[in-house]
Amino acid sequence: MTGTGRASGGAEAAPASQQGMRRRNLAVVIGTVAAHGPLSRADVAGHTGLTRPAVSSMVDELIGRGALTETEAAHSGRVGRPGRALALSDRGPAGLGLEIGVTHLAACVVDLRGELRVWRRVERANAGRPAGEVLAEAAALGAEAESEAAALGLRVEGRVLAVPGVVPNTPPGLVANAPNLGWQAVRPADHWPDPDTAPEPENEANLGALAEQWHRGNPAETFVHVSAEAGIGAALVIGGQLFRGARGFAGELGHLPVHPEGAPCACGARGCLEQYAGEAAVLREAGLGPGGDPVALLAERAAAGDAATLRALDRAGRALGLALTSAVNLIDPDGLVLGGAYTELADWLLPAVRAELAARVTVRPWNPEAVRPSALGRRGPVLGAAWSTVRQIIADPVRLPAR
């Protein structure tokens, strides 16, 4: 099983059959344990309104599929035997997340509880290299992560790849454009050693936003998630749902003009946000060259009070605040999240971002504290990739093979 559940809205109703009803109820049972566990079987029946015999039958099936585990619960002080507690399994089904960045590759495995069990990251200069070569290295890193996960008793049931590029709604499995990698119309499955285990690609900003939402546990929040590496991407979560746009191109905040007659951008336009708040622009303004970990270097120099670095980050923050003003006025979000590299630079970016928003958002109340750094930092996209599989399993555990 692979995928991020990219289809949104308009899902076809399941057939009104006993099989369809059982499938839905299995999802209700595992979802209840995921949200409220550990729980006894009686507790699950109470939460769901299902009969105890029905719950017992479905719990047995979910245990058989490796999704749930049942253990002795602590003695409650009541007369009789101690109850048994149901929880999501920390062995068996798992999700593999992969990420191709401009300067790195990453892989991680999470179990059904969402716990990070395997983590790998290697520095790689991926820009301009053949896509097949980069994808082969990502596949090798993923295979190492899967092998380590297997030694922990985990089996990967889905694979998702975070990429810094446009992944349209159709056709499936295509990275239409990843300019900072130099990719055009790349289908990862065409370059994967085993097409049956090829991951589904997804935009890294989208995955970072979903990871933020799942981590915070606010299913109805409306927010904009902004992330940066070589480029700047954004994702819109509206009422708890990722907004992709008509064709999947939503979120290109890096190419929103903040100075219409400003510096030329690689996209062909002028004055784009990336020319003022992108990694290369900030390094150039700070008088630094490429190489090593630029984010860590910027943070180190800013913490040391380097005047050029502080000016560069202030300039970037003002440009970012200008762009985010348009997002706030357009979609009226609950909050704005700075993810990716911006998380580690938030101490120096946020004052300028907040000042711009305070000066420019005048048609609605705005709380400066609504701009916050991500809790997940640069790990957000690859964690979101791995968690996507877990979310799919909990939504439809019948996808899991019976053991």
Side-chain angles (χ1 to χ4, degrees):
M1 183 190 75
T2 61
T4 57
R6 288 170 61 84
S8 61
E12 293 184 11
S17 66
Q18 187 173 3
Q19 183 179 9
M21 180 73 72
R22 183 173 182 83
R23 185 169 190 161
R24 288 193 295 273
N25 286 341
L26 282 167
V28 168
V29 168
I30 192 174
T32 299
V33 175
H36 306 290
L39 296 173
S40 69
R41 296 186 185 215
D43 290 336
V44 174
H47 275 282
T48 62
L50 297 169
T51 66
R52 290 195 185 187
V55 166
S56 226
S57 170
M58 284 181 277
V59 163
D60 288 341
E61 180 174 342
L62 290 167
I63 290 173
R65 293 180 184 272
L68 294 182
T69 184
E70 191 171 31
T71 58
E72 290 277 343
H75 202 290
S76 65
R78 299 174 185 168
V79 176
R81 294 184 304 170
R84 295 177 67 80
L86 295 163
L88 293 174
S89 178
D90 62 353
R91 297 173 66 83
L96 172 68
L98 297 160
E99 182 181 16
I100 295 174
V102 174
T103 60
H104 73 278
L105 300 172
C108 72
V109 177
V110 300
D111 61 26
L112 277 191
R113 302 180 186 202
E115 297 295 327
L116 178 64
R117 304 293 296 278
V118 177
W119 168 259
R120 290 174 180 262
R121 178 183 167 110
V122 295
E123 301 307 311
R124 289 285 189 276
N126 295 319
R129 295 171 59 204
E133 183 179 304
V134 175
L135 286 160
E137 291 186 8
L141 190 68
E144 291 176 9
E146 287 200 43
S147 179
E148 186 177 340
L152 298 174
L154 297 166
R155 67 175 188 274
V156 168
E157 295 287 350
R159 301 160 185 86
V160 177
L161 172 66
V163 291
V166 176
V167 181
N169 295 337
T170 57
L174 178 71
V175 180
N177 184 23
N180 291 309
L181 291 175
W183 291 10
Q184 288 280 347
V186 172
R187 193 179 304 276
D190 293 342
H191 303 277
W192 214 253
D194 178 0
D196 291 337
T197 64
E200 180 180 344
E202 175 59 284
N203 173 265
E204 54 87 22
N206 286 347
L207 289 170
L210 291 172
E212 185 75 15
Q213 180 193 32
W214 297 333
H215 178 74
R216 287 175 60 86
N218 187 344
E221 188 178 16
T222 292
F223 67 96
V224 180
H225 181 277
V226 186
S227 62
E229 194 186 41
I232 299 173
L236 283 65
V237 176
I238 300 177
Q241 299 296 314
L242 182 67
F243 178 76
R244 297 179 180 279
R247 298 172 183 82
F249 288 74
E252 288 297 309
L253 188 77
H255 298 290
L256 191 152
V258 292
H259 297 294
E261 303 303 320
C265 181
C267 74
R270 301 185 71 90
C272 295
L273 176 63
E274 281 188 9
Q275 299 308 306
Y276 301 90
E279 183 181 283
V282 177
L283 288 171
R284 184 172 59 247
E285 185 75 8
L288 301 172
D293 185 337
V295 177
L297 178 59
L298 286 167
E300 179 184 342
R301 289 175 65 110
D306 179 73
T309 301
L310 292 173
R311 282 196 303 271
L313 290 170
D314 179 74
R315 176 178 182 257
R318 284 186 282 111
L320 186 56
L322 186 60
L324 289 173
T325 296
S326 298
V328 170
N329 285 330
L330 183 64
I331 68 170
D332 187 27
D334 298 312
L336 303 169
V337 181
L338 302 187
Y342 285 153
T343 306
E344 295 171 40
L345 301 172
D347 286 349
W348 303 282
L349 292 170
L350 279 174
V353 171
R354 287 171 172 160
E356 286 292 330
L357 287 163
R360 296 176 183 279
V361 179
T362 59
V363 297
R364 52 152 283 174
W366 179 255
N367 177 5
E369 298 305 312
V371 190
R372 65 178 190 265
S374 167
L376 301 172
R378 285 194 267 180
R379 289 188 173 192
V382 72
L383 284 171
W387 285 341
S388 294
T389 292
V390 169
R391 301 282 296 189
Q392 280 197 336
I393 290 171
I394 292 172
D396 189 12
V398 172
R399 295 169 179 265
L400 293 174
R403 292 187 298 181

